[in-house]
């Protein structure tokens, strides 16, 4: 498949690029610094500003799947505004490009806890990332109103960390996955496996899903 990956040099984006190349997909890696990625026979890099809708649209045309791992930067003082603006531009570009398959890597903030509230609204949710999590939750709500796009919203486990590619994990829907009394974990490598599985097999069209050990 031809797969465009937005945010390709970020923590999650790099892992998705690596997994897609491992599976011999033709990858277009899109970010401001995609030229920093190692050369590969199946890799095309596109360095630019994703808020430039015309530029981004031209990079997405002809692709089978667009995967967005964009975030506004967790240390960014304008995290909410920049995440909203980036997501709006990406969605516009996807729709203008006529690509029908769109996978968004969101956060765990919009997953439901056992008490029935979104994780972002729970008392212990980290204050410093809440603006970004709120922007991503708003994107999920917006996607739910769109019938013309085969979107999927992927939420990693509450704890996402570097680790190993084991290919052994659980999938869930919109409920936060737990290990006993503690939120479950997932490695970024196995998150990428789950995302590429979804790109290839499309099990969660117009749905949210989560992945955890």
């Amino acid at each position: 498949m031809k797969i465009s990956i937005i945010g390709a040099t970020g923590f999650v984006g790099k892992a998705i690029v690596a997994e897609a190349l491992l599976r011999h997909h033709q990858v277009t890696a899109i970010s401001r610094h995609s030229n920093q990625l190692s050369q590969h026979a199946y890799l095309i890099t596109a360095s630019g500003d994703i808020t430039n809708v015309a530029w981004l649209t031209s990079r997405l045309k002809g692709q089978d799947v667009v995967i967005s791992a964009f975030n506004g930067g967790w240390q960014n003082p304008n995290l909410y505004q920049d995440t909203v603006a980036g997501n709006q531009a990406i969605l516009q570009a996807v729709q203008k490009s006529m690509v029908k398959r769109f996978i968004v890597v969101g956060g765990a903030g919009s997953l439901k806890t056992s008490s029935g509230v979104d994780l972002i609204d729970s008392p212990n949710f980290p204050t410093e990332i809440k603006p970004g999590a709120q922007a991503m939750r708003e994107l999920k709500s917006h996607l739910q109103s769109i019938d013309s796009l085969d979107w999927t919203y992927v939420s990693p486990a509450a704890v996402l960390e570097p680790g190993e590619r084991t290919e052994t994990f659980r999938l869930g829907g919109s409920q936060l996955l737990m290990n006993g009394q503690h939120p479950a974990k997932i490695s970024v490598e196995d998150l990428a496996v789950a995302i590429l599985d979804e790109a290839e097999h499309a099990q969660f069209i117009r749905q949210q899903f989560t992945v955890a050990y």
Side-chain angles (χ1 to χ4, degrees):
M1 289 192 298
K2 294 180 179 179
I3 301 176
S4 281
I5 301 169
I6 300 169
T9 55
F11 176 56
V12 175
K14 281 184 180 178
I16 299 172
V17 169
E19 183 66 25
L21 293 175
L22 183 66
R23 301 184 188 209
H24 295 172
H25 294 298
Q26 182 178 316
V27 175
T28 299
I30 300 171
S31 82
R32 290 183 184 275
H33 308 293
S34 63
N35 55 2
Q36 296 176 357
L37 295 170
S38 300
Q39 292 185 351
H40 190 285
Y42 297 112
L43 180 65
I44 299 168
T45 58
S47 299
D49 180 2
I50 58 95
T51 63
N52 183 332
V53 175
W55 176 85
L56 183 57
T57 301
S58 70
R59 270 64 188 176
L60 303 184
K61 285 182 177 178
Q63 300 295 290
D64 297 305
V65 183
V66 176
I67 302 174
S68 176
F70 164 77
N71 77 61
W74 296 118
Q75 308 302 318
N76 181 356
N78 297 314
L79 176 57
Y80 173 79
Q81 295 89 337
D82 289 353
T83 303
V84 168
N87 285 337
Q88 288 176 343
I90 291 166
L91 183 56
Q92 287 180 40
V94 170
Q95 292 174 311
K96 287 176 180 291
S97 73
M98 305 301 289
V99 177
K100 292 298 183 184
R101 189 72 178 105
F102 182 40
I103 299 175
V104 174
V105 185
S110 62
L111 293 170
K112 295 289 185 185
T113 67
S114 59
S115 60
V117 303
D118 289 357
L119 182 62
I120 188 176
D121 296 324
S122 61
N124 296 323
F125 194 84
T127 304
E128 64 274 12
I129 66 170
K130 196 165 187 175
Q134 175 61 28
M136 294 309 299
R137 178 168 63 174
E138 291 173 7
L139 174 61
K140 187 190 84 167
S141 296
H142 183 48
L143 288 172
Q144 289 172 330
S145 70
I146 299 175
D147 296 327
S148 59
L149 197 60
D150 289 341
W151 59 267
T152 300
Y153 188 96
V154 185
S155 289
V159 181
L160 176 63
E161 55 193 9
E164 297 180 355
R165 183 183 186 274
T166 70
E167 299 183 86
T168 303
F169 43 75
R170 297 178 283 158
L171 297 180
S174 58
Q175 195 77 19
L176 179 70
L177 294 178
M178 304 288 289
N179 277 328
Q181 298 299 311
H182 302 285
K185 300 179 179 183
I186 192 68
S187 73
V188 70
E189 292 83 1
D190 275 336
L191 173 63
V193 171
I195 290 167
L196 265 296
D197 285 350
E198 176 60 23
E200 293 174 349
H201 304 297
Q203 299 297 303
F204 295 94
I205 297 293
R206 299 192 190 100
Q207 296 179 61
Q208 178 182 22
F209 81 91
T210 187
V211 53
Y213 296 129

